[in-house]
Amino acid sequence: SSVLEWTDDEVDLLAGSHLYTIASDLRCTGEATIRAVNDLLGGDKDPDELRRCLSILVTRLVRLDDGSVALVPGLDLLNHSSSSRSYIAGTREGVHVVNRGLLSKESQVFVSYGGKTSGELFLSYGFFPEENPHDGVLVPLDGGETAVVGIDGSVRLVGSELGIDRERVRTELKQGVRR
């Protein structure tokens, strides 16, 4: 299930890891969204039902090529594989599953949910992959951002695919090691 539906005791199991902070932030944002939606709907809706609905919604959104998101029925049936040669491409006019490899008849089609660590996949989608070339260590940076230092030496900001100032991240990581 989504971290939005976890109990406090379940989130507390992550204490001591940086996933705890991310999970807490996701839950806090989710609760604010639930309160706002409930207010828009008259304030008399069951928060647990709204939480369940929000959990279902956010795990099924697809990021389009322009950065916006869409709910595309059926795409949530495609499972994740880090080694998939298929991906989702879409604009406001349409969404497609694009395959860059060979598929055998009746084989399952996998897509990559993106270059996420196992922890990010767990918090976002509720599973740990068996193998993940995108794994790494989550490192908190000044200003509240989090970097992932990959097992391959790559560096990226959590939730950010483009526009990373790699030198600033590396400098902050080096300073953090010295502290």
Side-chain angles (χ1 to χ4, degrees):
S1 71
S2 165
V3 69
L4 298 176
E5 298 181 274
W6 291 7
T7 65
D8 290 340
D9 289 341
E10 290 169 326
V11 173
D12 287 345
L13 293 172
L14 298 172
S17 77
H18 200 61
L19 292 176
Y20 176 80
T21 303
I22 295 170
S24 298
D25 289 349
L26 288 170
R27 289 184 71 212
C28 184
T29 301
E31 290 304 313
T33 302
I34 289 164
R35 283 192 300 277
V37 168
N38 202 4
D39 288 347
L40 285 171
L41 298 174
D44 60 347
K45 304 302 179 216
D46 179 5
D48 289 333
E49 244 345 86
L50 290 174
R51 190 172 298 106
R52 188 177 75 73
C53 291
L54 181 60
S55 177
I56 290 168
L57 177 67
V58 298
T59 60
R60 286 159 176 80
L61 292 175
V62 174
R63 186 158 309 278
L64 301 177
D65 297 343
D66 67 0
S68 63
V69 294
L71 181 61
V72 183
L75 282 184
D76 58 311
L77 297 174
L78 298 172
N79 286 321
H80 167 79
S81 171
S82 296
S83 62
S84 174
R85 298 199 39 136
S86 300
Y87 62 94
I88 298 168
T91 64
R92 292 179 187 268
E93 288 74 43
V95 175
H96 308 279
V97 176
V98 179
N99 181 46
R100 294 177 292 167
L102 296 175
L103 292 173
S104 60
K105 185 177 180 181
E106 297 181 17
S107 66
Q108 181 174 343
V109 176
F110 291 93
V111 294
S112 173
Y113 292 178
K116 300 179 183 312
T117 66
S118 295
E120 291 174 287
L121 290 169
F122 179 60
L123 292 179
S124 297
Y125 303 105
F127 72 89
F128 282 105
E130 287 184 30
E131 294 181 19
N132 188 354
H134 305 291
D135 257 342
V137 177
L138 296 167
V139 180
L141 302 174
D142 293 340
E145 294 176 306
T146 302
V148 175
V149 180
I151 56 177
D152 62 355
S154 63
V155 177
R156 70 173 174 85
L157 295 176
V158 171
S160 172
E161 302 301 324
L162 301 171
I164 300 169
D165 182 348
R166 285 176 169 46
E167 283 309 308
R168 181 183 66 81
V169 172
R170 282 189 170 83
T171 300
E172 286 191 28
L173 288 172
K174 288 177 186 174
Q175 290 172 348
V177 169
R178 287 188 216 125
R179 289 182 193 162

